[in-house]
Amino acid sequence: MELKPFLEVQKKRPFLIAGPCSAETEGQVMSIARDLAAQGNVDLFRSGIWKPRTRPGMFEGVGSEGLRWLKRVKEETGLRTTVEVANAHHVYEALKFGVDVLWIGARTTVNPFSVQEIADALRGVDIPVMIKNPINPDLELWLGAFERLNKVGITRLAAIHRGFSSAAKTQYRNVPHWEIAIELMRRLPNLPIIGDNSHICGNRHMLEEVAQEMMDLNFDGLITEVHCNPDEAWSDAKQQITPDRYQELIGNLVLRAEKDAGFLNSIEALRVQIDQIDNELLNLLGKRMGFASEIGEYKKRNNIAILQTGRWNEILNSAVQKGRQRGLSDEFVIQLLTAIHQESIRRQTLVMNEHEATEAAMAAK
Ligand code: PEP
Ligand code: MN
């Protein structure tokens, strides 16, 4: 794939993109842009004009009207601007108003017809385009989007890693699956990658930690949602931060050395993945114990013994078999499952005793 430098990304690290999730009013856009420009921690001003929303009836963006405000941002603060485009009409409108960079959102990358429509609208146009990962953890689909854009002549491309949707409840709004970003870097080493800490976290308290993880993985930049009054934001209120907080977050970042050939095997990259897996394991164990307590309730109601030896044997035998297929020793699997089983029994015993204690108290009344 023929790639040309994406703005000054190669020269300036981290490359910083900030601005509100959505443009709401002219005053809101101008206030955030002025604050960010004055602080000097932004290379590109982001703002959603057309918003893909999960349910109809939510705020779907101000539309082309907001493009006039972005033009004003550029004229008055000198900041370059970027908006999300999801179809050919959006592309034509954004180009008409002189938007500097386009981005394709996660809900669009997922659909090859939509990506192709955007690519066709951009044939013969030289504009930088950023592509967010698709909402599902599918690297090929993400790569396919870069290929579609590149085929029509777009050579200034960048990736935005915004995490992946998951049915499991986790601490993230969108699970990072760092291994997918790392594999993208391996497959397209010249493609800049920008971390969207806002949409991965979905909250304010983890933003800094995730931004640092992105720096530790040698991401080229960050895209963060900044709002003058985050609590009152019309979209993504929980994850937006004030310009002052943003300034502080950027100031606290520890920057590591540039990407080098050894990076993809570096201990840092591996550790980040291990931490991620440990988090997932703990989340799953928490969930499993919740079910154990529910089973405890059922057994109590139906007067069934806690320990079901037949069931325990089945679990253990099947786990040992599955462990073997995954290169885990029998001894390790037995130890692990025994610890989990013991905790499960402890939980169920707790549930039963709790009820007995309540019943005894009731009887005593
Ligand atoms: C956004 O950047 O506000 C947005 C809609 O993001 P995503 O496409 O990552 O959901
Ligand atoms: Mn958003």
Side-chain angles (χ1 to χ4, degrees):
M1 190 179 296
E2 194 213 337
L3 292 173
K4 294 215 179 100
F6 185 93
L7 306 182
E8 343 45 90
V9 160
Q10 262 91 355
K11 290 184 219 119
K12 182 194 175 290
R13 297 184 69 248
F15 185 81
L16 298 173
I17 308 172
C21 175
S22 304
E24 299 165 5
T25 65
E26 187 164 4
Q28 171 245 16
V29 168
M30 292 312 300
S31 152
I32 301 166
R34 282 196 196 106
D35 282 356
L36 287 171
Q39 291 170 349
N41 271 329
V42 64
D43 301 299
L44 188 59
F45 183 79
R46 67 148 282 156
S47 182
I49 298 291
W50 299 282
K51 301 300 296 177
R53 305 313 300 274
T54 308
R55 309 280 295 270
M58 296 164 98
F59 172 58
E60 291 185 331
V62 293
S64 299
E65 166 74 356
L67 293 169
R68 272 199 321 104
W69 309 339
L70 291 180
K71 204 156 174 258
R72 204 179 140 202
V73 165
K74 191 165 181 187
E75 283 161 6
E76 290 185 22
T77 67
L79 288 176
R80 292 166 299 187
T81 60
T82 181
V83 297
E84 171 176 353
V85 290
N87 58 37
H89 169 70
H90 296 165
V91 171
Y92 299 136
E93 287 292 287
L95 294 177
K96 200 162 79 193
F97 281 85
V99 168
D100 298 281
V101 176
L102 305 178
W103 95 74
I104 298 180
R107 290 165 193 76
T108 306
T109 311
V110 87
N111 183 347
F113 287 129
S114 301
V115 175
Q116 192 57 50
E117 179 182 320
I118 293 169
D120 290 339
L122 283 172
R123 205 177 286 276
V125 180
D126 181 22
I127 189 168
V129 179
M130 307 187 287
I131 306 182
K132 289 202 179 197
N133 61 262
I135 45 180
N136 56 324
D138 184 342
L139 176 61
E140 297 304 316
L141 204 48
W142 201 3
L143 284 166
F146 289 108
E147 286 160 3
R148 286 177 199 279
L149 271 286
N150 199 237
K151 270 194 173 164
V152 300
I154 302 289
T155 50
R156 292 186 288 163
L157 286 164
I160 299 179
H161 178 46
R162 53 78 81 193
F164 301 89
S165 182
S166 153
K169 234 184 151 22
T170 75
Q171 59 181 327
Y172 302 104
R173 176 178 175 192
N174 291 295
V175 183
H177 286 298
W178 300 113
E179 70 282 4
I180 295 182
I182 291 170
E183 180 59 12
L184 178 70
M185 294 183 204
R186 198 184 66 79
R187 301 266 285 268
L188 295 176
N190 296 323
L191 180 76
I193 181 158
I194 290 162
D196 180 343
N197 51 344
S198 301
H199 291 90
I200 286 183
C201 295
N203 61 54
R204 289 174 204 147
H205 65 274
M206 281 161 58
L207 281 182
E208 189 167 319
E209 178 188 325
V210 168
Q212 185 60 53
E213 271 181 287
M214 289 163 165
M215 294 300 98
D216 294 345
L217 284 172
N218 274 313
F219 275 39
D220 298 280
L222 290 173
I223 177 165
T224 306
E225 289 185 342
V226 175
H227 195 287
C228 45
N229 191 355
D231 285 332
E232 301 301 320
W234 298 0
S235 60
D236 289 352
K238 284 200 203 118
Q239 70 199 27
Q240 303 205 58
I241 50 173
T242 61
D244 282 349
R245 177 67 197 112
Y246 173 71
Q247 163 106 321
E248 201 183 327
L249 185 154
I250 299 301
N252 289 343
L253 288 180
V254 181
L255 300 183
R256 316 286 185 198
E258 292 274 333
K259 251 179 236 177
D260 62 20
F263 161 69
L264 291 171
N265 293 318
S266 83
I267 196 157
E268 200 95 58
L270 297 173
R271 278 188 181 145
V272 169
Q273 294 194 72
I274 283 180
D275 289 350
Q276 160 96 12
I277 290 173
D278 284 350
N279 272 336
E280 283 170 22
L281 284 174
L282 290 173
N283 283 335
L284 287 174
L285 284 172
K287 212 163 155 186
R288 189 191 192 284
M289 291 309 158
F291 287 131
S293 299
E294 275 182 41
I295 289 185
E297 304 271 359
Y298 180 87
K299 286 179 178 168
K300 169 72 189 160
R301 274 198 308 276
N302 295 283
N303 210 20
I304 300 173
I306 290 181
L307 183 62
Q308 300 285 317
T309 318
R311 163 85 179 136
W312 168 229
N313 265 334
E314 266 171 40
I315 293 180
L316 203 56
N317 288 335
S318 124
V320 166
Q321 290 307 323
K322 286 182 190 152
R324 280 183 194 159
Q325 287 158 13
R326 290 162 178 77
L328 304 173
S329 74
D330 293 6
E331 192 194 359
F332 170 67
V333 172
I334 292 169
Q335 268 181 4
L336 179 69
L337 266 286
T338 305
I340 293 173
H341 187 238
Q342 269 171 12
E343 175 62 8
S344 201
I345 289 182
R346 196 186 67 79
R347 289 274 186 132
Q348 294 184 32
T349 312
L350 226 81
V351 169
M352 290 224 174
N353 291 343
E354 191 185 298
H355 282 207
E356 263 150 26
T358 322
E359 278 160 19
M362 301 260 283
K365 272 189 186 166

